[in-house]
Amino acid sequence: MPDIEKDLHTDYMVINMGPSHPVTHGTVKFLATLDGETIVDLKVDIGYLHRGFEKMCESGTWQQVIPYTDRLNYVSPLINNTGYALAVEKLIGIDTPERCKYIRVIACELSRLADHLTNVAAAGLELGAFTAFLYFVEARELVWDLIEDLCGARVTANYVRIGGVKSDLPDDFKEKTARVFKRCRELWLDVDKLLTKNRVFIDRVRDVGVISGDEAIAYGFTGPCLRACGVPYDVRKAQPYLVYDRMDFEVPIGEKGDNFDKYLVRMEEIKQSMRIVEQALEQIPRGPINIDMPQFRWQSKDDIGNRIDSLIFHFKTVIEGIKPPPGEIYLAVEGANGELGFYLVSDGSGKPYKCRVRPPCFVLTAAMSRLMKGRLIADIVPTFDMINMIGGECDR
Amino acid sequence: MLADFIESIAKIVFIFSINLGFFAPILGWVERKQSAVMQDRIGANRADIGGFTIMGLFHPIADAVKVLTKEDFIPAGANKFFHTIAPFICLVPAIATFAVVPFGGRYEIFGHQVNLVIADLDVGILYVFALASLATYGVVLAGWSSRSNWSLLGGLRASAQMLSYEVAMGLTIIGIIMVYGSLKLTEIGAAQANFFRWGIFLQPVGFILFLTCAIAENKRVPFDIPEAESELVAGYFTEYSGLKFVMFWMAEFLEIVTISGIVTTLFFGAWHLPFVTDAMLLSFFQFAGPNGAAILAMLVNVATFFAKVSFFIWLQMSIRWTLPRFRYDQIMRLCWKMILPISLINIFVTGLVVLL
Amino acid sequence: MNTSVTLKKLAEKFPDSIIETHSYRGDDTAVVKKEDIVAICTFLRDDEALRYNFMMDLTAVDYLGREPRFEVVYHLYSLPHNQRVRLKARVSESDCTIDSIVPVWISADWFEREAFDMYGITFKGHPELRRILLYEGFEGHPLRKDYPLKKRQPMIGPIN
C-alpha cells in the first residue's frame, strides 16, 4: 500500500468556501486544503461584514450608538442594546428603576429565544432537515411578533435607552406571551422528535467539533459552546446583572463539547428562557420605566413640555450627548453566543472616546481551524452552524 | 404484425406521455405542495393564467417557460462536448428503464394478446440495473467537465455512492428472484395474483433494503451528498443552467417514478388489486362483452398500478422532507458494512426457506 | 474599598512593573510596563490564588496628544475565583511594539491581529501578524484618532 501511494501523484486540493456560500451564513471565507475529503488545514478569513462600528461610535453621541448595537448581533439585538445601556449606566454610576430592569430581562430573554431558535433551525436546514428549520422559523416569527408588540420593530429593535427603555409593555403582553409560548413549546416538541433521537442527525453531529473544557477556556470560548464542554460559566449566574438573581432558572451543561451537546444545550436554554420570561411577567412591579435624571434620560414628552430643566437637558443631551464622568469600565452580559463585553472609555464629553465590543463569536470562529483539522469537509457544516457565528458581531 | 406494431406504438406513446408529460411536471408540483403541507405552510400558488391559480398547478408550466428561456452557458475552459452530453447520459436511462416495467397484465382484446409492458425482456430486472449504471457516467462527466473543484467533489462522491449502492441493490433483489423463480418482471407480477404471495410478505427485509438502495441510487435525501446543497452548492450540477439543469432534475424525478414502479412490481402485487384476480375482474365486467370486459379490466389494473406508484412517490417525498442528510463516509459505511451483509444473510435465509 | 487580592499580589510580585492601579466603579485595573507583560500574564494565569484562565478581551486605545500614545488593554477573568482584572500597557508611537501574549492564552491570537489592524501596534512573536478585518491593500490604521472618518481608500482590483 505505501508503495502505491508514493507512485500516485496526489496533490492537496485547495477549495475555497468563499464568502458567499450556503453554509457560511455570516460571510466567512474558509480556505480548506483537502486530501481527498479530509481537511489538512483550514484557514478562516473574516472581515467581510466589517462596517467600522467602533469608529462610528466615536463620531456620534452616547445615545446614537444604540441603533449601531442593534446591528451587532442582529439575531438578538435587544441583548446588545441592554448590554450597552448597562455599560453606560455603570460608567455614569446610575441605576434604573425596578420595572425597567424586569422589562429589560424580558427583552433579553426574548432575544435569546430568537437567537437559539434561529441557530437550531439553521443547523437543521444545512444538514438537510428542511422541515425542522421551518417549524422553528414559525416559532421565531411568533417571538418576533412579541418583540414587535414591545418595541415596534422585529429585528432592529432599538428599544433600550440609557437610563430606561423606550416605552412600557403593552397592556395585553402577558396573554399574548402565554399564547405564543404554548405554540413554541409544541413546536419545540416537534423539532425535538424530528432531530434529537434521529440517527442520521446524531451521526452528523456526535463527536464532531469536540474540544475539551480547558482548551476551550484557553481559546476564550464562552456561552453555549463552553457550557457544552462541561464548564459551568454563565454571566447571568456568575455576576448577575439586572434582576437575574431573583429568577429561578437552570443553566444546562453538556459533557463532551461536541456539536450534539451544543445543540442540546441550546434546546434546553430555549425552554429556560421561556421560564424566565414567564417569571418576569409574574414578578414585574408597577412603577416608572425611566430614571428621573433628565440630564441622562428624559421621562416623557409631557415632562419635556412642562419642566424647563427637562427641556434644557433634552436639548443639550440631543445636541451634545449625555456626559458621563471621565473614566473607563468593562461590563459583561450573557449574549446568546457567550460573554458580550462592552469596554467604554469616557473623556467627559458627549461622544464616546472608545466603545469596544468584545464579540463572543470572534474567538469561536478563530477556533474553527483547530476544531476542523483532520475531519471531513462535510463536518464543517454542523460545526460552523453550532458555533453560531453572526457576521455582524464577529466583524462589527 | 400490424396489430403488434400498433400495440407497441400505443404502449410507448402512453408510457412516454405519462412519464414525461404527466409525472415529470406534476412531481415538481407534488414536491412543493407535499413539503408545504408537511411544513405547515401553503407552498407555491402564485402562477396564474387569466387570474386562475388552481392551487399552483401552473407552476410547472411557468418553470418550463423560465427554464427554456434561460441563457445556456458553459464555464470557461470546460470541455464543451462532455459538458453538453452529460445531462443526456443522465436522462436517457431514467426514461428508458421504464420499458420493462409492466403496468398491467395480459388481456385478450379483439383476438389479440395485449401484454402491457413495452419490452418483455427475458433478463427483465437486469436491464434496469444495467441502465442505472449508465446514469453514473452522466453524473461523473458532469462533475468532471465543469472545471470546478466543487463539481468535481460532487461527481466523485456521486460515483462512489452510486457504484456501491448498485452492487448492494443487485444483491437485495436476488431474494425476490429466488422466491419467484424468474427474472422477467411480467412473470413476477403475474405470480402475485394471490394477495398473500405479494413480495412484501415473502421478502420484507429485501423490500426495506431495496428501497434504501434505490433512494441512494437516485441521490435523494438522505443520500443526496453529491448535490448536498449546503456544502457543495449543488455539487455536480453547479455549473449548469437552463435546459440542461432541468434535464438533471427530470432524470431525478423520473427515477423516483421508476423506483416506485419497480417496487410495486416486485413487492406490492404489481397491477393486482388485493384479493381480486384477473378472472374475477373479467367476470365482473361481463356485461360489456368479452372485449369490453378485457378493456375495462385492463383500465382497472392500470389504474391500480399507477395508484400504487403514486403511493410510493408520496413515500419517497415524505422521507426526503423529514430526514437530514448523511455524511459521505457514513453512507459508504452503511452500504458496505450494513446493507451488503444483511442482504447476503437475506439470500441465505431465503434459499433455506425455498429449499424446505 | 480595599484593594483586591489581585492588585495586592501583583504589587508584591512585580513592584517595579506596576505604574499605577485603580478600581474605578469596581473594575480592578493595573497599568504595567510593556516589557514585563508576558511575565505578568503568565503569573496571573498560573498563580493559585489568582488563576486567570480566561483572556476575555484585548484591545488598544489611542490617546492622541499624550505620550506614550497608545494603551493596550487586556481584560482577564478568573473562572475559579470569579473575578476580573484589567491590565493596561502603554505603548509609544515611536516604538509601537509590544510582546505578544499568544504563548500564554491562545485566544489572544485574533485579538492581537485586530489591534494591529486597527491601530498599527506590532506584537512581537505573534505567529501570523496580518490584517484580519480589513483587506490586504488597505492603507492606514482606521481606529487611530488621526484617521479621518470619511477617508477614501484607493480602488483595488481583483486579487489575482
Side-chain angles (χ1 to χ4, degrees):
Chain A
M1 259 316 168
D3 290 334
I4 301 180
E5 283 198 19
K6 260 194 282 190
D7 285 338
L8 281 177
H9 292 286
T10 50
D11 248 338
Y12 290 148
M13 179 161 73
V14 175
I15 222 171
N16 177 37
M17 288 174 94
S20 76
H21 180 96
V23 82
T24 63
H25 55 273
T27 58
V28 155
K29 184 165 87 160
F30 292 125
L31 266 173
T33 314
L34 300 176
D35 175 19
E37 287 236 348
T38 320
I39 296 177
V40 168
D41 187 28
L42 185 75
K43 280 202 183 20
V44 186
D45 256 340
I46 60 166
Y48 289 91
L49 201 53
H50 178 69
R51 296 152 294 173
F53 169 78
E54 290 184 35
K55 192 81 179 167
M56 282 198 295
C57 291
E58 290 171 17
S59 63
T61 65
W62 289 95
Q63 311 95 289
Q64 285 176 334
V65 169
I66 295 186
Y68 293 140
T69 57
D70 267 340
R71 286 139 175 92
L72 283 175
N73 183 339
Y74 38 73
V75 203
S76 57
L78 288 163
I79 304 185
N80 308 331
N81 283 170
T82 316
Y84 175 74
L86 282 173
V88 179
E89 285 159 18
K90 180 175 174 184
L91 188 58
I92 302 175
I94 57 177
D95 201 18
T96 48
E98 284 292 305
R99 188 173 171 87
C100 166
K101 289 189 185 155
Y102 276 96
I103 295 182
R104 283 178 176 180
V105 165
I106 294 173
C108 277
E109 292 306 313
L110 284 177
S111 254
R112 192 187 314 278
L113 255 182
D115 197 301
H116 286 328
L117 288 171
T118 313
N119 180 251
V120 175
L125 170 70
E126 299 192 350
L127 288 176
F130 208 77
T131 312
F133 166 73
L134 284 174
Y135 285 166
F136 263 173
V137 161
E138 186 191 332
R140 185 182 70 170
E141 288 286 320
L142 295 168
V143 172
W144 274 352
D145 281 343
L146 277 183
I147 295 183
E148 191 181 11
D149 278 336
L150 188 61
C151 33
R154 286 173 2 140
V155 178
T156 50
N158 194 12
Y159 176 63
V160 182
R161 301 280 182 270
I162 299 168
V165 286
K166 164 172 155 284
S167 56
D168 208 339
L169 291 176
D171 291 326
D172 53 351
F173 197 71
K174 200 162 163 196
E175 291 76 36
K176 269 209 184 101
T177 315
R179 276 202 307 269
V180 164
F181 282 174
K182 180 157 167 292
R183 178 80 185 125
C184 281
R185 289 191 165 106
E186 285 168 20
L187 288 166
W188 190 96
L189 277 174
D190 276 338
V191 174
D192 193 44
K193 281 186 235 170
L194 274 177
L195 290 181
T196 309
K197 295 219 166 63
N198 187 331
R199 185 59 201 276
V200 184
F201 181 74
I202 295 182
D203 272 344
R204 285 305 297 267
V205 292
R206 224 202 214 305
D207 292 329
V208 177
V210 181
I211 193 169
S212 70
D214 287 329
E215 206 174 346
I217 295 181
Y219 268 96
F221 276 29
T222 47
C225 290
L226 180 67
R227 293 198 279 277
C229 305
V231 178
Y233 175 51
D234 184 331
V235 183
R236 294 174 294 177
K237 291 276 194 197
Q239 297 175 337
Y241 52 96
L242 293 175
V243 286
Y244 279 109
D245 43 0
R246 293 181 223 170
M247 300 285 159
D248 174 33
F249 66 101
E250 287 160 18
V251 173
I253 312 282
E255 283 174 356
K256 280 207 272 187
D258 60 2
N259 289 337
F260 191 52
D261 280 350
K262 291 175 191 155
Y263 157 80
L264 288 174
V265 163
R266 286 207 167 92
M267 287 289 269
E268 192 55 40
E269 281 191 11
I270 293 176
K271 296 216 298 209
Q272 297 296 324
S273 286
M274 288 200 262
R275 262 179 83 184
I276 296 179
V277 174
E278 285 164 354
Q279 284 173 41
L281 283 171
E282 288 291 316
Q283 296 175 12
I284 188 168
R286 294 182 189 286
I289 54 166
N290 290 315
I291 189 175
D292 189 12
M293 289 176 81
Q295 66 267 41
F296 294 118
R297 170 83 186 131
W298 39 273
Q299 283 276 19
S300 62
K301 286 292 188 185
D302 282 338
D303 194 49
I304 296 173
N306 291 328
R307 281 168 62 175
I308 187 66
D309 55 338
S310 297
L311 179 66
I312 296 174
F313 278 126
H314 179 246
F315 177 78
K316 292 210 69 160
T317 54
V318 169
I319 300 292
E320 291 174 359
I322 62 174
K323 297 196 164 80
E328 57 187 4
I329 55 103
Y330 175 84
L331 179 110
V333 296
E334 177 73 15
N337 279 339
E339 172 172 320
L340 181 70
F342 283 91
Y343 171 58
L344 302 174
V345 177
S346 162
D347 59 352
S349 76
K351 298 186 190 219
Y353 194 77
K354 171 146 181 114
C355 172
R356 155 96 183 156
V357 177
R358 186 253 177 207
C361 56
F362 190 67
V363 286
L364 296 172
T365 317
M368 266 300 281
S369 37
R370 146 77 183 77
L371 289 176
M372 281 287 98
K373 230 175 220 62
R375 310 238 31 135
L376 298 181
I377 195 174
D379 290 328
I380 293 185
V381 176
T383 315
F384 189 63
D385 267 327
M386 283 300 154
I387 280 182
N388 198 22
M389 179 259 190
I390 308 279
E393 189 179 68
C394 193
D395 299 340
R396 280 152 286 135
Chain B
M1 280 317 314
L2 187 63
D4 281 336
F5 187 64
I6 297 176
E7 177 196 333
S8 296
I9 295 287
K11 283 188 291 198
I12 293 175
V13 164
F14 175 66
I15 284 294
F16 226 70
S17 53
I18 280 261
N19 261 355
L20 284 182
F22 176 71
F23 271 123
I26 210 76
L27 277 188
W29 177 83
V30 165
E31 175 135 39
R32 286 178 163 136
K33 278 298 183 184
Q34 182 170 343
S35 65
V37 166
M38 284 170 71
Q39 289 156 3
D40 225 3
R41 57 186 174 95
I42 301 181
N45 66 346
R46 296 282 184 222
D48 68 66
I49 293 183
F52 295 105
T53 51
I54 321 183
M55 291 195 307
L57 275 170
F58 287 126
H59 270 281
I61 305 178
D63 281 339
V65 170
K66 175 191 85 166
V67 135
L68 289 172
T69 53
K70 263 195 175 176
E71 177 194 356
D72 184 36
F73 63 82
I74 300 182
N79 190 325
K80 284 199 177 49
F81 177 64
F82 288 132
H83 190 89
T84 315
I85 206 178
F88 289 97
I89 302 184
C90 255
L91 182 61
V92 167
I95 303 180
T97 31
F98 219 83
V100 287
V101 175
F103 49 96
R106 290 176 175 273
Y107 307 95
E108 178 99 27
I109 301 182
F110 300 115
H112 178 75
Q113 273 275 351
V114 170
N115 191 4
L116 281 182
V117 61
I118 295 181
D120 195 7
L121 297 176
D122 278 337
V123 294
I125 192 85
L126 288 186
Y127 168 82
V128 172
F129 291 151
L131 278 185
S133 322
L134 283 183
T136 317
Y137 278 122
V139 173
V140 174
L141 268 184
W144 178 77
S145 67
S146 297
R147 200 167 179 261
S148 148
N149 275 345
W150 291 114
S151 313
L152 186 63
L153 267 182
L156 288 174
R157 286 175 167 188
S159 68
Q161 176 185 315
M162 288 170 85
L163 285 174
S164 320
Y165 278 93
E166 268 157 32
V167 172
M169 198 157 68
L171 284 178
T172 55
I173 286 304
I174 293 187
I176 277 282
I177 298 172
M178 281 200 284
V179 163
Y180 289 117
S182 162
L183 280 175
K184 288 172 82 160
L185 285 173
T186 42
E187 281 184 23
I188 298 179
Q192 294 182 51
N194 180 357
F195 180 63
F196 291 108
R197 294 274 304 167
W198 276 16
I200 183 67
F201 298 114
L202 302 177
Q203 284 276 293
V205 175
F207 164 64
I208 297 181
L209 293 178
F210 179 72
L211 193 62
T212 314
C213 291
I215 296 181
E217 192 63 27
N218 191 20
K219 304 181 291 299
R220 297 276 293 176
V221 178
F223 300 99
D224 74 337
I225 41 148
E227 65 181 72
E229 190 190 302
S230 53
E231 293 154 27
L232 301 184
V233 199
Y236 63 92
F237 48 77
T238 315
E239 305 287 344
Y240 281 90
S241 79
L243 192 56
K244 292 191 215 149
F245 178 76
V246 134
M247 279 201 258
F248 282 114
W249 272 112
M250 268 213 298
E252 203 173 291
F253 283 148
L254 290 176
E255 266 194 63
I256 296 181
V257 180
T258 312
I259 291 168
S260 308
I262 295 176
V263 163
T264 315
T265 310
L266 293 176
F267 296 100
F268 277 86
W271 60 86
H272 297 282
L273 280 171
F275 304 113
V276 171
T277 62
D278 278 349
M280 283 168 63
L281 267 185
L282 283 175
S283 63
F284 184 70
F285 288 123
Q286 242 170 7
F287 56 87
N291 286 327
I295 292 179
L296 284 172
M298 182 172 83
L299 289 174
V300 166
N301 278 340
V302 170
T304 316
F305 177 75
F306 281 111
K308 293 182 191 173
V309 163
S310 307
F311 169 73
F312 281 105
I313 295 175
W314 172 86
L315 183 69
Q316 288 182 54
M317 294 277 181
S318 302
I319 297 177
R320 189 242 190 275
W321 289 107
T322 313
L323 295 177
R325 69 173 63 92
F326 277 111
R327 202 173 61 199
Y328 177 60
D329 61 328
Q330 291 161 352
I331 294 187
M332 291 295 125
R333 188 167 35 117
L334 184 71
C335 176
W336 292 103
K337 287 197 188 169
M338 291 201 248
I339 294 188
L340 208 64
I342 297 181
S343 60
L344 287 173
I345 297 174
N346 184 29
I347 295 175
F348 282 131
V349 168
T350 312
L352 279 175
V353 171
V354 165
L355 262 184
L356 302 171
Chain C
M1 194 168 195
N2 47 358
T3 359
S4 71
V5 173
T6 316
L7 295 178
K8 269 205 283 250
K9 294 203 83 165
L10 266 182
E12 276 168 19
K13 188 95 196 288
F14 298 94
D16 310 316
S17 310
I18 312 271
I19 302 179
E20 61 175 287
T21 65
H22 69 80
S23 291
Y24 185 67
R25 303 270 189 246
D27 286 354
D28 298 329
T29 312
V31 185
V32 300
K33 288 213 185 89
K34 71 174 193 183
E35 291 81 17
D36 306 320
I37 190 72
V38 178
I40 294 180
C41 288
T42 319
F43 167 69
L44 285 173
R45 185 191 66 179
D46 295 333
D47 184 82
E48 272 315 307
L50 301 179
R51 298 288 308 279
Y52 279 97
N53 45 6
F54 272 99
M55 214 283 308
M56 275 304 182
D57 194 14
L58 197 167
T59 182
V61 190
D62 178 4
Y63 292 101
L64 183 63
R66 188 191 78 176
E67 182 58 33
R69 180 176 172 186
F70 297 109
E71 216 169 61
V72 181
V73 181
Y74 305 80
H75 285 97
L76 309 175
Y77 174 69
S78 162
L79 183 60
H81 302 287
N82 194 14
Q83 58 199 38
R84 295 184 189 269
V85 74
R86 180 185 307 135
L87 292 177
K88 305 208 288 186
R90 298 205 172 127
V91 174
S92 68
E93 191 176 350
S94 46
D95 177 26
C96 210
T97 62
I98 185 173
D99 290 326
S100 159
I101 60 164
V102 171
V104 187
W105 296 285
I106 196 168
S107 55
D109 186 351
W110 274 23
F111 285 124
E112 287 180 355
R113 276 177 67 186
E114 191 191 337
F116 164 70
D117 193 3
M118 294 286 133
Y119 287 95
I121 302 174
T122 316
F123 290 85
K124 285 191 295 221
H126 190 278
E128 197 187 353
L129 193 64
R130 57 187 170 96
R131 286 194 184 271
I132 185 170
L133 292 178
L134 298 170
Y135 56 95
E136 292 300 321
F138 192 90
E139 289 172 3
H141 297 282
L143 277 180
R144 291 189 173 192
K145 290 287 177 182
D146 51 0
Y147 185 98
L149 180 65
K150 296 207 166 57
K151 178 165 182 218
R152 305 286 293 179
Q153 289 280 326
M155 301 285 269
I156 56 166
I159 304 285
N160 43 4

